[in-house]
Amino acid sequence: MTLQLSYLLYLGISIAMTIWVARTLSKNGEVFLVMCFGQNEVLAKSTNHLLVVGFYLINIGFIALRLDGWDAQKAVVSMIPYVGSKVGLSVLVLGAMHFFNMMMIARYGRTVAAWAADNRAAQAEAPLGIPPIPRSYR
């Protein structure tokens, strides 16, 4: 029974924390994305939504994987430290992943914005019904 309670504690804490972090990152990260994507708000909002979906998928998947291999005896003897260490490792790994994503967005955001602007300009110049030729093929 104690192992099941440990699972419930772990799932409750981890999923609640995932939802809170995703909402916080989504709300506050949009300004960062707008700046990284050269003031392109449509691209920033779209990217923000995709990042949130990916964040949920990776976090929920990682949380589920962490349910495997629990030591029932450790969970019975010291449930709070055991569950805390499981949650703690999950938070550290996911935090590291978040900082990696932020570095990549900061590094490549303007490149993506330029690519999107080039595509919009090419579509505006193309005659109706004829798709534009990608820049890489010119």
Side-chain angles (χ1 to χ4, degrees), residues 19-130:
I19 292 168
W20 174 74
V21 170
R23 287 182 178 169
T24 301
L25 292 176
S26 175
K27 185 176 77 172
N28 297 316
E30 194 168 310
V31 174
F32 174 77
L33 291 173
V34 168
M35 295 300 290
C36 285
F37 292 141
Q39 305 301 321
N40 186 336
E41 289 189 32
V42 173
L43 181 59
K45 285 182 183 203
S46 174
T47 302
N48 194 27
H49 182 72
L50 292 172
L51 286 170
V52 168
V53 170
F55 183 81
Y56 277 125
L57 291 173
I58 289 172
N59 283 6
I60 301 291
F62 189 71
I63 288 166
L65 284 174
R66 299 272 301 145
L67 285 170
D68 188 34
W70 282 42
D71 185 346
Q73 189 172 7
K74 283 184 182 177
V76 169
V77 173
S78 56
M79 181 173 57
I80 300 300
Y82 191 68
V83 171
S85 69
K86 293 284 188 179
V87 171
L89 181 61
S90 297
V91 169
L92 286 173
V93 169
L94 297 170
M97 180 191 72
H98 170 66
F99 279 111
F100 174 78
N101 285 343
M102 296 297 287
M103 286 186 338
M104 293 299 105
I105 290 168
R107 183 172 184 175
Y108 297 111
R110 296 213 187 271
T111 303
V112 172
W115 172 79
D118 286 350
N119 281 344
R120 279 195 307 275
Q123 287 175 351
E125 294 172 3
L128 293 176
I130 301 173

